[in-house]
Amino acid sequence: MDRAFTTYSATNNTKPESDAAGATAENTHISRTIELTATSSHQFIGKGGPSRGGGGRGSNIRAFYDPMTIQQIFPGIWNKPGGAIIAVADNFFNLLGPGQQVTTELAGRWLNTYISQIKSLDPNYQFQDSGLATTFEGQIYQLNFLRMKRAETYLRIKGDPRPLQVETLRFMQERADRAYNQGMRLLQAGKLPRQLSSQEALGNYVDREVREALRERYNVLGINWNGKGPVRVNSREYDNSGTDRTYRIPDVRIYDLVIDTSLTAKGPATPQVKGFFATDFRPTLVIILRPSQLGRGHTYAIPRMENKR
């Protein structure tokens, strides 16, 4: 969740905008738009990007959907007008774990594929585990971690942030869903702050849990997220275009991409989204990430109104 600030003096009493500020009037329109764009999209859209591994003809490898660019998970995104709302491909989040279609043999093949891909970029890489995990949950964890490691390697060796954008979105979605379930239990038990509305208390909890988990994962991978580089978590992004210097704090920035966790639907006219696009680094795309429990079209992208790729 973003907060908006104006950097006046230390005595400035301007309060941050609410996460839902300016969004209420848009919610119905946004929800309907998302529903219309959340059509079945079970094919790769983008043709460029890093190469992926695969299986032989007739194999069960199609159980895996392994996109490595944003274009591949938001169908036709660069053909849409600026400010459009584009829902994520239906099958992208099926691979938070690859689901029950995974067999030990298939998981082992993908484990070896990911390790080979990483070693092709970084020959010194050593897989730390002794082999494929024996439990389904352990195998899913290994595959998810290796995809994120592959993304880190592309960034570190080739300077290509696109796989990290994809895997960060996947990781944040899984953690948002997990935090939403836990937050609902805490809310029902009366263990979230009572001075806030239920929606705000739950939203703050989900937002905090996702950010903390992402920081931890980036730390494990050695990704610098708290400096002045182009990968930042919960960091100020300034807008120097006006008389008063202002800034926004998206949950994560990865080069020209913003990902912001929210329970509230936000569109291109929402102050938070407009504020993201107005910042000095001029993001090309803003992704609003919402827990999947909120229904179809929960997570969607908004391309920049002008200067589209």
Side-chain angles (χ1 to χ4, degrees), residues 42-93:
H42 298 285
Q43 60 181 353
F44 291 116
I45 303 300
K47 295 182 179 180
S51 61
R52 296 176 297 273
R57 274 184 78 178
S59 74
N60 198 29
I61 213 72
R62 292 182 183 273
F64 283 78
Y65 181 50
D66 188 30
M68 293 181 69
T69 69
I70 290 297
Q71 291 95 321
Q72 292 166 342
I73 58 176
F74 289 99
I77 192 165
W78 303 127
N79 297 322
K80 304 292 184 181
I85 294 174
I86 302 97
V88 71
D90 286 350
N91 55 338
F92 173 57
F93 293 121

Side-chain angles (χ1 to χ4, degrees), residues 47 75 92 94 145 201 220-221 230 263 304:
K47 295 182 179 180
F92 173 57
N94 290 348
F145 184 86
V220 169
L221 293 168
L263 299 188
R304 188 174 193 84

Side-chain angles (χ1 to χ4, degrees), residues 41-307:
S41 305
H42 298 285
Q43 60 181 353
F44 291 116
I45 303 300
K47 295 182 179 180
S51 61
R52 296 176 297 273
R57 274 184 78 178
S59 74
N60 198 29
I61 213 72
R62 292 182 183 273
F64 283 78
Y65 181 50
D66 188 30
M68 293 181 69
T69 69
I70 290 297
Q71 291 95 321
Q72 292 166 342
I73 58 176
F74 289 99
I77 192 165
W78 303 127
N79 297 322
K80 304 292 184 181
I85 294 174
I86 302 97
V88 71
D90 286 350
N91 55 338
F92 173 57
F93 293 121
N94 290 348
L95 237 72
L96 295 172
Q100 298 299 325
Q101 298 179 72
V102 170
T103 64
T104 297
E105 179 184 0
L106 184 57
R109 289 170 60 189
W110 272 95
L111 182 102
N112 291 331
T113 294
Y114 292 149
I115 292 172
S116 296
Q117 289 174 342
I118 296 168
K119 289 180 75 68
S120 71
L121 296 170
D122 181 2
N124 295 321
Y125 174 72
Q126 295 294 326
F127 184 54
Q128 297 300 313
D129 294 352
S130 57
L132 183 66
T134 57
T135 66
F136 175 77
E137 292 77 12
Q139 292 168 7
I140 297 308
Y141 177 85
Q142 285 180 323
L143 295 177
N144 286 338
F145 184 86
L146 282 170
R147 274 199 307 266
M148 185 72 92
K149 178 60 182 177
R150 178 183 63 181
E152 180 276 331
T153 307
Y154 266 102
L155 179 64
R156 174 168 48 86
I157 301 296
K158 299 181 74 68
D160 187 346
R162 293 175 297 173
L164 185 64
Q165 292 173 337
V166 170
E167 295 309 323
T168 296
L169 177 62
R170 193 198 306 267
F171 179 83
M172 291 176 68
Q173 185 71 63
E174 189 272 336
R175 293 308 173 108
D177 292 352
R178 184 188 302 184
Y180 185 87
N181 287 336
Q182 178 64 18
M184 286 295 295
R185 289 191 288 268
L186 292 173
L187 188 65
Q188 293 165 3
K191 294 183 178 180
L192 293 183
R194 297 184 178 181
Q195 66 270 27
L196 302 175
S197 69
S198 296
Q199 181 83 350
E200 188 175 2
L202 180 59
N204 287 347
Y205 177 82
V206 171
D207 196 47
R208 183 174 61 254
E209 291 294 304
V210 171
R211 285 199 310 264
E212 290 179 357
L214 183 61
R215 289 189 187 107
E216 291 176 3
R217 180 53 55 92
Y218 277 179
N219 285 339
V220 169
L221 293 168
I223 297 173
N224 181 13
W225 54 265
N226 62 353
K228 295 183 179 181
V231 179
R232 307 181 191 180
V233 178
N234 199 41
S235 178
R236 295 183 182 185
E237 299 297 341
Y238 287 96
D239 174 10
N240 288 293
S241 62
T243 303
D244 299 308
R245 189 188 197 200
T246 62
Y247 61 87
R248 291 281 173 172
I249 306 181
D251 285 330
V252 63
R253 164 198 169 179
I254 307 173
Y255 284 71
D256 61 347
L257 171 71
V258 162
I259 305 175
D260 199 57
T261 308
S262 176
L263 299 188
T264 304
K266 301 175 184 178
T270 304
Q272 286 88 344
V273 175
K274 291 173 67 176
F276 291 146
F277 282 125
T279 55
D280 294 342
F281 81 96
R282 309 284 290 175
T284 303
L285 195 70
V286 171
I287 295 176
I288 303 300
L289 187 151
R290 304 164 69 217
S292 64
Q293 292 91 331
L294 298 180
R296 191 178 185 186
H298 52 88
T299 292
Y300 53 92
I302 304 173
R304 188 174 193 84
M305 293 290 288
E306 78 280 357
N307 297 329

